[in-house]
Amino acid sequence: MSEYIYEKAEKRANEKIDFFKHLYSYLVVNFILFALNFLTSPNDWWFMWVSFFWGIGLFSHFVRVFIIDDKLLKSYRERRVEKEVEL
């Protein structure tokens, strides 16, 4: 049982690390795009579109990793198993 708990904890830790890598790349790339946009066409802020749509993806990644709790998914899974057993 402890091996299962360790694997689950390791998976959660990896998911959090992956989110922070995603956040870091978002910040770095968007800073570079901002600088490029500012230097080449300061009157047309096209980098905001990239930031906005990538930000939606980043937000959904955040929600999946930090908001959606395993307990919610586990509870749903247990209800489904109980329903299948009743059939």
Side-chain angles (χ1 to χ4, degrees):
M1 185 66 163
S2 65
E3 194 173 310
Y4 172 74
I5 293 171
Y6 178 79
E7 287 175 4
K8 194 167 185 168
E10 186 177 34
K11 181 181 178 216
R12 293 286 297 156
N14 287 335
E15 288 175 351
K16 290 178 181 180
I17 289 169
D18 288 344
F19 169 76
F20 286 112
K21 286 179 182 178
H22 189 184
L23 176 62
Y24 177 75
S25 63
Y26 174 83
L27 294 173
V28 170
V29 169
N30 279 293
F31 177 76
I32 292 168
L33 290 176
F34 167 76
L36 184 64
N37 189 178
F38 182 74
L39 294 173
T40 59
S41 55
N43 295 326
D44 181 27
W45 293 104
W46 51 263
F47 89 96
M48 291 189 319
W49 291 106
V50 175
S51 299
F52 176 73
F53 288 110
W54 190 353
I56 291 172
L58 183 65
F59 179 73
S60 67
H61 193 173
F62 172 81
V63 167
R64 185 176 51 82
V65 171
F66 293 101
I67 305 297
I68 296 178
D69 193 11
D70 283 340
K71 293 175 187 173
L72 276 174
L73 297 175
K74 183 178 178 184
S75 173
Y76 175 74
R77 182 178 182 273
E78 289 173 354
R79 287 194 313 267
R80 295 300 305 164
V81 169
E82 288 174 7
K83 189 173 183 177
E84 290 296 323
V85 169
E86 291 174 0
L87 296 177

